[in-house]
């Protein structure tokens, strides 16, 4: 069979074959047992953290990745920015009848590669098939368990006045790449998704005592992370447009279509809030990494403001409002 | 707003509102933090087990439960039959644009009740919204983490010749209830889903040294579990039709529609394999529980056979074949 049928989800022969030949063949590791209802996890020392993400990106494949690699990076990154080392993931796949088997194989292959690179293992999985027209190719959900770095106490509540805000690289690449991959705008370009594990970026800052908080700016982009920081801390934020790294093709596409790249998703960047006196140290650690070469200090927390304010290129000021309408659904 | 819109999934204002007012309001507990990327789990002593299940049942609500309660029971039960006490669950919801908010609220309410009853907490969650026609109301995925009972060594490989096979209650109720709820057959009836936590049933057997293996017969039903046991052990299985509990209305509906209830899903039953000399003890423990009153010893493992054989009511024999076609998609 070259396409997924309902029989691939019924618990019987074809489902077992699919699980063995596609999922287990690619994702196999000592913890995963395709015959068991649950996996026994090897002992982990330290406090455990848990995170979950659902993935519905459309198209399933895009420059720089596919929904499979994204499903690893998304959950790995949620744990990484929370100060944990990701270890084991669960995987749920909800597949639409008619999906090409070769597409599914590429997705699971990319997932296996991303898992290896991030040092995580798929501990258990589940597959369901829904009738044609009641799904969308494939939806994935991953839940990750990791060990918290015991020296870290990260959280929005740690953020103080004058703290610096850093971003690890150009923003909006992922959202723009997905948009271009949809071809509905009649545009094409060579923007690649930034989707990647941010674990090295996060670990580089782990022993900085002035590290307050990290987050990966996915849905809603950088602007939405800044709003969350503002909402919880009650502090104002001032960022400078010229300090926010954005790639030229991203800017160009956004200008044509009227999008603001500050609201577009990244899947491989980190926003970090660091004490003023350690901001330069944090920046130089990021600059030393391949994925952090374009990192910038983009602004700071300030009790003098009650909004998120962007200093524009020309010296003006613009208030970054909270996202209301969805500029770009299904980017993750 | 009375219905889910794409803006409920964009990471901004409406999504936060949905999460706070529907998800967090019902599921709140000390571990869940709607503002965090990951949850820190309280310390658990012992070996951890992890299990994941995706839920795509249609219709979303049915006599005896809905997709929300099912999403708790399914994952709780996978851990329970594996010999673990479930503790923390993650939740991913992939919602279709246009879903009535009141329906979602009933689903999450049932989920909260089922979680309380099973003694588990939702540690973290994620919500995505897909455009109308690219999903099906709502898909849920739960991943559970629990602590393994250290005295238990369960597994298909423990099963020996002459071991007895028990089932904790009537089979096929869930599958039949879903089928009737779809109303596509022009039949109605008062069959309720058996969906429930099987944790009490499993715990009742935990200190039986002769307990070899447990499984909840979901997709593919009792017959599929028997086939898995046969496949891995290489031993034959003989079961007696008259010993398999099936409710009269389930039998009646299956006769009309030409289904075999042995292949229909349960969501609150357990199949256990127990050493011959402890089978009666196991049975009496189940009989002492409300959910085990109709438990039966249905057959045994036998090296004299190389198939799964059903002794019919009239004294004949029928080979229970492995499931190939899907009799009833989307029952879980």
């Amino acid at each position: 069979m070259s396409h997924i049928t309902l029989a691939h989800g019924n618990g019987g022969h074809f489902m077992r074959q699919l699980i063995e030949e596609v999922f287990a063949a690619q994702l196999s590791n000592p913890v995963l047992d395709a015959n068991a209802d649950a996996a026994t996890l090897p002992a982990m020392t330290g406090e455990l953290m848990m995170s979950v993400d659902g993935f519905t990106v459309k198209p399933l494949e895009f420059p720089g990745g596919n929904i499979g690699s994204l499903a690893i990076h998304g959950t790995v990154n949620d744990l990484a920015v929370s100060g944990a080392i990701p270890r084991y993931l669960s995987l749920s796949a909800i597949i639409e009848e008619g999906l090409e088997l070769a597409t599914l194989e590429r997705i699971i292959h990319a997932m296996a590669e991303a898992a290896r690179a991030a040092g995580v293992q798929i501990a258990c999985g589940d597959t369901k098939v829904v009738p044609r027209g009641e799904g969308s190719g494939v939806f994935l959900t991953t839940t990750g368990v990791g060990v918290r770095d015991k020296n870290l106490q990260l959280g929005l509540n740690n953020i103080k006045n004058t703290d610096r805000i850093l971003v690890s690289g150009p923003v909006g690449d992922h959202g723009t790449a997905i948009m271009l991959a949809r071809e509905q705008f009649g545009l094409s370009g060579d923007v690649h998704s930034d989707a990647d594990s941010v674990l090295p970026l996060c670990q580089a800052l782990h022993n900085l005592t002035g590290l307050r908080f990290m987050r990966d700016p996915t849905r809603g982009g950088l602007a939405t992370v800044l709003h969350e920081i503002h909402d919880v801390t009650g502090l104002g934020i001032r960022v400078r447009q010229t300090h926010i790294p954005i790639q030229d093709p991203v800017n160009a596409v956004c200008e044509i279509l009227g999008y603001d790249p500050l609201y577009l998703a990244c899947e491989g960047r980190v926003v970090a809030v660091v004490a003023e006196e350690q901001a330069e140290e944090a920046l130089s650690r990021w600059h030393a990494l391949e994925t952090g070469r374009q990192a910038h200090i983009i602004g700071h927390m300030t009790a003098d403001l009650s909004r998120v304010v962007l200093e524009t290129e020309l010296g003006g000021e613009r208030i970054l409002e909270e996202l209301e309408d969805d500029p770009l659904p299904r980017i993750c």
Side-chain angles (χ1 to χ4, degrees), chain A:
Chain A
M1 272 185 286
S2 63
H3 292 77
I4 293 289
T5 67
L6 287 176
H8 283 112
N10 71 356
H13 173 70
F14 291 114
M15 183 170 123
R16 236 171 22 164
Q17 200 172 27
L18 174 72
I19 288 173
E20 280 167 14
E21 293 176 9
V22 179
F23 288 89
Q26 292 278 359
L27 301 171
S28 116
N29 67 69
V31 180
L32 183 67
D33 176 358
N35 283 319
D37 273 317
T40 301
L41 303 182
M44 290 174 276
T45 307
E47 219 168 17
L48 297 186
M49 299 197 82
M50 188 181 198
S51 185
V52 59
D53 239 335
F55 300 88
T56 65
V57 66
K58 187 177 180 179
L60 298 175
E61 302 176 285
F62 46 83
N66 64 32
I67 193 171
S69 52
L70 195 63
I72 298 292
H73 294 138
T75 292
V76 160
N77 291 353
D78 280 348
L79 286 167
V81 296
S82 303
I85 311 295
R87 299 286 300 279
Y88 301 104
L89 264 57
S90 73
L91 166 64
S92 150
I94 296 176
I95 310 173
E96 185 187 10
E97 177 189 17
L99 178 70
E100 210 187 355
L101 216 50
T103 306
L104 185 63
E105 279 168 355
R106 286 195 301 274
I107 288 168
I108 303 303
H109 179 74
M111 172 166 254
E113 280 197 336
R116 264 191 297 275
V120 294
Q121 294 182 321
I122 305 293
C124 51
D126 183 68
T127 306
K128 294 283 187 300
V129 178
V130 295
R132 203 184 296 267
E134 302 185 23
S136 183
V138 59
F139 298 135
L140 300 178
T141 292
T142 51
T143 293
V145 169
V147 180
R148 202 173 75 80
D149 185 319
K150 66 179 188 303
N151 299 313
L152 274 177
Q153 278 297 351
L154 301 180
L156 288 164
N157 296 320
N158 302 327
I159 295 173
K160 296 180 176 61
N161 190 23
T162 79
D163 282 355
R164 267 35 188 173
I165 301 165
L166 287 79
V167 64
S168 66
V171 299
D173 294 18
H174 179 73
T176 307
I178 296 299
M179 187 158 60
L180 293 174
R182 283 191 199 156
E183 294 172 353
Q184 69 197 62
F185 300 101
L187 287 175
S188 69
D190 58 353
V191 179
H192 278 59
S193 167
D194 53 277
D196 203 352
S197 161
V198 299
L199 190 56
L201 288 163
C202 295
Q203 287 189 285
L205 305 190
H206 272 194
N207 66 346
L208 270 191
T209 53
L211 177 64
R212 317 282 201 205
F213 173 77
M214 294 189 286
R215 178 151 291 174
D216 52 330
T218 58
R219 272 182 290 182
L222 174 63
T224 296
V225 172
L226 297 178
H227 260 283
E228 284 183 289
I229 295 172
H230 163 65
D231 278 342
V232 174
T233 62
L235 292 168
I237 292 176
R238 178 179 292 276
V239 291
R240 291 178 77 168
Q241 189 155 29
T242 51
H243 289 186
I244 301 173
I246 302 175
Q247 302 211 59
D248 288 341
V250 170
N251 260 329
V253 169
C254 283
E255 236 161 74
I256 293 170
L257 298 175
Y259 288 132
D260 184 341
L262 302 186
Y263 292 88
L264 294 188
C266 314
E267 290 288 346
R269 308 298 182 210
V270 181
V271 175
V273 183
V274 179
E276 187 179 358
E277 65 277 12
Q278 295 192 339
E280 289 295 339
E281 169 65 19
L283 186 65
S284 71
R285 290 187 187 187
W286 274 1
H287 281 163
L289 295 171
E290 180 62 33
T291 52
R293 276 188 302 124
Q294 297 183 68
H296 262 276
I297 299 173
I298 62 168
H300 63 278
M301 307 300 304
T302 169
D304 299 338
L305 291 171
S306 61
R307 308 291 287 265
V308 181
V309 170
L310 180 77
E311 277 181 32
T312 64
E313 224 160 329
L314 303 171
E317 287 191 353
R318 180 158 80 86
I319 290 168
L320 277 188
E321 298 290 358
E322 194 178 4
L323 186 67
E324 293 240 332
D325 289 323
D326 196 350
L328 208 61
R330 300 191 60 185
I331 41 73
C332 60

